[in-house]
Amino acid sequence: MADHGQLTLPFDEPFSVSDQPDLWTPRDIWVRFSQGMTGRFVEDRRIEFKSTKKINVDDFATYLSCFSNTPDGGVICFGVEDDGTLSGCRNLDATILNGIETCHLQRCPAARPEFKRVPISLGDRQDFLILVYTPYIGKLAETNKSEAWIRYGDTKHKMSEEEKRDFRATRNEVSFELEKAPYSYPSDFQESTIQDFCDKYREREKSKWSNEEILVDRHLLERTQTGYAPLNALVLLAAKDPARTIPGCRVRVQRFEGDREGSGETYQPIRDRFCEGSIVQVIQKAAAAIEEALHSVTWLNNDGKFVTTPEYPKWAWFEALVNACVHRSYSFSGTDTTVKIFSNRMEIESPGGFVPTVNEKTIYVMRASRNHHLMDAMRYLGYVQMAREGTRRIKESMAEYNLPEPVFRQEVLHGVVVRVILQNDHKVRSRSTDRDVAVFFGVDQWKLMQDHEIKIAAYAYRNETIQVSEAQRLTGRTWATSKKDLERLCRKGILVFVSGDYSRDPKAHYRLAKQEV
């Protein structure tokens, strides 16, 4: 009798039905890899194939750095071509084999690789692969050339000095927010923001501490022999002019006419506003700029009723804005947090990558913070929830508006950024401006009409008549197709054809059937 607890695959060893190689970690791959599995894998974030035709130890060192810096690490497989064809390592000279296993000692000393050989058969000869598992070590691993690399998808990325600094900060090697800042306390700071924060702290914690005691306890100030030294976290929270030392402390809000930014002469945002000041001020100003830039739309909800709302739910974009400001990397000094509003989406871009162990797949269940002390202070002020609660609120708010789930994506642009995309349901929104048309025909009839039919009916409703050439221009369809569209609407009883005095009379047109008594 067959064992239904096992899955029959061309592997050397059986494993349970629930065991999916696509979900294996790099460590799982290294432990369980065999010749039969080669075709199961392609190069991705977890594994890199290396031909033995030409082995460059300096290039190998970049991969040791790369996987040491990538959460979960990675596997390098020598003896496999890029397309997955097995070539083996038997023909390698012993000096090269030894060089592979000792490369890290001189060229990437922070790496902790593990090596093993996997036997394979190539026709009638026996050969082997060399598998190198390089674990993630939680601190920056550089090569002997002072270069640091990290893995994104199936490619390696060389980190800039700002990215390396941010990496160290998020792994607690250094902390940007705990660095002393060249400001004087309290004269360089907003008294009202500090007082508000301290009052909220005392209220919640039932504390009688002074303002300074609270700021020291919350790692915003540091005591010195002569007084107090403000830290970067306090500069971000409440400085009168944080941009003096942290130019990235601002948000740019832009609105574009279509679904693209354009470039050169075509780059012409309708609105373009920079919001500066402390984090509290930046969020307040940016929120006002976003609300001003959004349109109101009317759409049909699940109950068959028309509702008028902004294009996007406030809780969704506001949470995304706050997260972008609080969790961004301020080590990327010359890069702004940006909000770009297009006709079909809103994008909130935050400099700096995801903080491990958060990524696109774990965004709703894991929590981690880059600027822990700043985030903690903002929570007392009522701006920040726990990270995973904030992202869940974004998702739930979009669902309430019948809009797609938000997209969270890490990208390599001018450095690494996290982009949150809130999408506008174009089909719903394209109909939203025609509420009066829907009321005129009745919701039941309106719901059955196709998009191009709605455009034609709306034009006829507002202009009393429509001709074939006008329908063609509206819908972008051909003249013959537009003629058929109009005739179909006549058969549905929506339009009536009004002929001219003679065949092909340019005065011939169509008008709404309900206009005739």
Side-chain angles (χ1 to χ4, degrees), residues 29 33 37-44 47-52 59 63 67 75-86 129 131 151:
I29 296 173
F33 195 90
M37 296 187 211
T38 308
R40 181 71 176 178
F41 295 100
V42 296
E43 290 185 328
D44 59 17
I47 189 168
E48 174 75 19
F49 296 145
K50 282 294 177 185
S51 171
T52 55
D59 178 64
Y63 282 96
F67 285 128
V75 174
I76 303 169
C77 187
F78 286 97
V80 183
E81 305 300 311
D82 289 343
D83 61 1
T85 302
L86 297 176
L129 306 177
L131 261 65
R151 187 81 163 182

Side-chain angles (χ1 to χ4, degrees), residues 393-463:
R393 176 180 276 192
I394 297 173
K395 179 180 178 180
E396 291 166 0
S397 298
M398 293 292 283
E400 290 173 2
Y401 271 46
N402 290 335
L403 293 175
E405 282 192 16
V407 176
F408 298 88
R409 183 183 300 157
Q410 180 169 292
E411 299 177 358
V412 181
L413 298 173
H414 34 275
V416 183
V417 301
V418 171
R419 186 188 304 276
V420 181
I421 304 174
L422 306 180
Q423 300 174 80
N424 194 338
D425 189 328
H426 185 68
K427 186 174 181 181
V428 171
R429 298 317 189 199
S430 66
R431 297 181 176 210
S432 65
T433 57
D434 296 317
R435 176 180 180 178
D436 48 354
V437 179
V439 172
F440 182 83
F441 291 112
V443 171
D444 292 338
Q445 174 69 58
W446 180 81
K447 289 168 67 175
L448 296 174
M449 295 168 68
Q450 299 181 56
D451 288 344
H452 64 275
E453 292 177 329
I454 289 176
K455 292 179 180 178
I456 292 171
Y459 186 91
Y461 175 79
R462 295 193 175 96
N463 297 277

Side-chain angles (χ1 to χ4, degrees), residues 222-236:
E222 187 176 292
R223 284 193 179 92
T224 67
Q225 293 181 344
T226 57
Y228 296 97
L231 306 179
N232 276 336
L234 184 61
V235 173
L236 290 166

Side-chain angles (χ1 to χ4, degrees), residues 299-307 399-403 428 447:
W299 50 283
L300 197 66
N301 66 16
N302 292 333
D303 298 326
K305 297 180 180 179
F306 282 102
V307 292
E400 290 173 2
Y401 271 46
N402 290 335
L403 293 175
V428 171
K447 289 168 67 175

Side-chain angles (χ1 to χ4, degrees), residues 111-122:
R112 298 291 181 266
E114 300 177 46
F115 304 85
K116 77 172 184 178
R117 300 185 182 187
V118 176
I120 61 172
S121 296
L122 295 178

Side-chain angles (χ1 to χ4, degrees), residues 75-225:
V75 174
I76 303 169
C77 187
F78 286 97
V80 183
E81 305 300 311
D82 289 343
D83 61 1
T85 302
L86 297 176
S87 55
C89 298
R90 193 180 70 168
N91 294 329
L92 289 178
D93 185 88
T95 302
I96 296 177
L97 292 173
N98 290 331
I100 290 174
E101 296 190 3
T102 59
C103 172
H104 66 288
L105 298 177
Q106 298 297 325
R107 289 177 170 81
C108 190
R112 298 291 181 266
E114 300 177 46
F115 304 85
K116 77 172 184 178
R117 300 185 182 187
V118 176
I120 61 172
S121 296
L122 295 178
D124 58 354
R125 70 181 176 89
Q126 299 300 305
D127 210 314
F128 63 91
L129 306 177
I130 299 176
L131 261 65
V132 185
Y133 167 61
T134 306
Y136 171 65
I137 62 174
K139 62 180 181 179
L140 191 69
E142 294 182 287
T143 68
N144 60 333
K145 297 179 180 180
S146 298
E147 296 175 347
W149 301 76
I150 193 167
R151 187 81 163 182
Y152 295 122
D154 62 351
T155 61
K156 67 182 191 294
H157 168 72
K158 183 179 177 181
M159 302 167 76
S160 67
E161 290 303 315
E162 287 184 327
E163 288 175 276
K164 288 196 284 186
R165 179 185 175 121
D166 177 59
F167 186 99
R168 289 190 173 104
T170 57
R171 276 71 175 180
N172 295 320
E173 289 187 65
V174 298
S175 177
F176 174 82
E177 62 174 348
L178 292 182
E179 292 180 2
K180 292 181 181 179
Y183 290 76
S184 297
Y185 175 84
S187 60
D188 288 339
F189 294 85
Q190 302 160 8
E191 181 181 349
S192 59
T193 301
I194 290 178
Q195 191 63 49
D196 188 24
F197 163 69
C198 292
D199 288 344
K200 294 287 179 58
Y201 179 89
R202 279 187 284 264
E203 179 182 350
R204 183 179 301 184
E205 305 299 334
K206 311 300 181 185
S207 170
K208 295 183 179 179
W209 284 353
S210 68
N211 288 358
E212 286 70 27
E213 288 174 323
I214 293 171
L215 296 176
V216 169
D217 180 74
R218 295 293 89 192
H219 304 287
L220 302 174
L221 270 185
E222 187 176 292
R223 284 193 179 92
T224 67
Q225 293 181 344

